[in-house]
Amino acid sequence: MYAIPYLDVPALQQVSGRVRLPGSKSISNRALLMAALCPQPTTIHGLLHSDDTQVMLAALAQLGCGLDVDGDRVRIHGGGLGARRAMQADLFLGNAGTAMRPLVAVLAILGGQYTLDGVPRMRERPIADLVDALLDFGCQVSWLGEPGFPPLRIATPRRGSQRRVAVRGSVSSQFVTALLIALPLAARDAAAGDIVVEISGELISRPYVDITLGLLARFGISVQNDQYRRLTIPAGSRYASPGELQVEPDASTASYFIAAATLSRPGKASPGLTIDGLDENAVQGDIRFVDAARQMGADIRSHAGSLHVQPARLPLQALDLDCNHIPDAAMTLAMMALFANGRSTLRNIASWRVKETDRLAAMAIELRKLGAAVEEGSDFLVITPPAADSWRAACLGTWDDHRMAMCGALAAFNPARRPVRIEDPACVAKTFPDFFETLFMLAEPAQDVPVICIDGPSASGKGTLASALAQVLGFHYLDSGALYRLAGVAARRRQIPISVDHAAAIAQLCQSLQPRFVGERVLLDGEDLGAAIRSEQAGMDASTLSAWPLVRTALLQTQRSAAQLPGLVTDGRDMGTVVFPRARLKVFLTASVAERARRRQGQLRARGIDAKIDQLRADLEARDARDRLRAASPLKPAGDALLLDNSDLSIAESKARVLDWWQQKQCLEPA
Ligand code: DC
């Protein structure tokens, strides 16, 4: 997960390969709760691990349910919400509607002393219709804050003979789902009569109710569905575990990958993208995104247990669609509309306003930043795409909404090859913490992977600056000096003398080295050589062998292969001149030798080594001269490098300066 303020995604050319996506959020949270309501144990396979399911797992554990989590497999002990449950609990449910709504209903029917709350946005998401229905049924629920919204308190219900509840279907289908999961608990008595849920008005997002009905059937509850107007839970209904349950990969998540594969522009024939574990027969409503995408020109083939997507002929066809049945995946259509041959209209999406954020307003604002013209209606969006060359490099706000972030990433396929900055990328954790990692694994950049080179002499602070930049940008980091140092250490270990006569043997050794850099550790053949390569001896050896062209050439490929999406920050002597001559940004540090000697002295002191400043200065000058005068890759700034005299700058100041330059190179307006 990229826990950084923003993520710069370079323009992407295509995605291809094979991927299995994490489990459906809707199925995961429903299945967890239903399993907890069974007297028998259940094993759920393919469970989604994300903020929203974490919230449900934590709540169930707090209520006393036994859970064994092993990767994406979870075993829920039976009887967790039975008589032995915790009768008092304060539950915090984040921003997970799929946890809040059903838990309110289930606990209100079961009874006890509970409070339920969430993040500030959860306190803005309406729940009054559900609570009113529960109150009518004899439940005791009261508001702890603003009436109609969490937080709320639940007490033990007054037992009544009520067999009928009415709920509006037009605000959130989750209210219906919540009632359908909870009311079987009041229908156990075969003699007490059926329970009927009456839906008034139109029921939105029907497919989500279908997921609920399908899962209830798996858990032994067969609800009679009369046109989604009357849903009848037969008297005598009892939760019974199916034993094992497989969760489908999330169809809404799949929409981003289907769109990415559709928007790909491969130079030659593309193998396309295969999404495993999901096909058109999925029970999730958002699988119907496939039809809408096809309408726009997507080439999607459904096989048993997989979907295969080939790049589409671009531009796509503009679309005019009632999206009520696919409210979440319709956001992906809004992004695809940017690649269409005209104006697209997405209708009947008022529910967007009560999701993680007001998605209608948010989407309109962000699409405009990319260059689109957008009309925001009360329950529709009209999107006119930017001309191919008028896409803008934009900083996209994500509004604490995972789908805004995942949608935003699709802008990276723009034909103008503009980068896109995604703010707060970690918000994808709500449903897919590794979304960006997965995208980058499948994607090819439209141009070279962005590289930032920080070159400069010894002790100029390149390493500290470069690794700090890599961290804040979420880029990979390559300390090229460490490779030369490692070459020396590895040579000595194999008894190869560090002498020019053995340059060929050391070069050969360099080609076979497969080090892994993990923080301060440098793992080679399972051994940590981190400390060894930072010794003075290793520094001297590196200085010697780095002057040999054979060795430098041998390490070129290793260095270049570190340039992976989303980008690389690297430091050394010749990163900008030789290794990455086309790097997006080159910085050359010119700290004075006096300042560098002082820094080196500080570093050595920290390691308990006392060194004289004059001696250090002389050593540095000698090393500078050797690095500068050597024939192979002499130390010098690249012609297009920006010089940074960091003698009097703190790391934070240097970092801010370079980030500013980076932002300018990207043509991004300051956020
Ligand atoms: O930056 P450092 O002190 O870890 O580098 C060790 C030696 O490797 C240094 O003497 C110069 C050499 N080096 C090089 O020649 N080219 C690089 N890109 C990086 C380091």
Side-chain angles (χ1 to χ4, degrees), residues 333-351:
L333 294 175
M335 295 307 298
M336 290 171 70
L338 297 176
F339 299 80
N341 56 2
R343 233 162 53 133
S344 290
T345 306
L346 306 179
R347 299 178 193 278
N348 205 358
I349 48 175
S351 70

Side-chain angles (χ1 to χ4, degrees), residues 455 458-459 462 479-482 484-485 538-539 542-544 546-547 552 559 571-575 579 600 623 626-627 630 633:
D455 283 311
S458 281
K462 327 178 276 301
D479 169 1
S480 63
Y484 290 98
R485 288 165 177 266
S543 174
T544 306
S546 63
R552 299 202 75 86
Q559 295 175 79
D571 72 88
R573 305 292 189 287
D574 61 341
M575 296 296 103
V579 184
R600 178 56 52 92
R623 196 178 281 199
R626 209 164 38 226
D627 286 349
R630 71 185 177 208
S633 302

Side-chain angles (χ1 to χ4, degrees), residues 296 316-321 323 329-347 349 352 359-377 380-387 391 407:
M296 297 188 82
L316 298 174
Q317 298 296 315
L319 185 75
D320 186 331
L321 190 72
C323 297
M331 295 174 73
T332 314
L333 294 175
M335 295 307 298
M336 290 171 70
L338 297 176
F339 299 80
N341 56 2
R343 233 162 53 133
S344 290
T345 306
L346 306 179
R347 299 178 193 278
I349 48 175
W352 279 23
R359 288 176 169 169
L360 257 166
M363 189 59 91
I365 289 170
E366 302 308 326
L367 294 184
R368 283 183 198 124
K369 288 185 193 166
L370 291 164
V374 183
E375 183 193 340
E376 177 196 337
F380 66 89
L381 278 184
V382 183
I383 301 161
T384 308
W391 281 76
C407 278

Side-chain angles (χ1 to χ4, degrees), residues 98-114:
T98 55
M100 175 65 83
R101 278 73 182 259
L103 276 169
V104 164
V106 162
L107 294 175
I109 297 281
L110 286 173
Q113 300 296 322
Y114 306 107

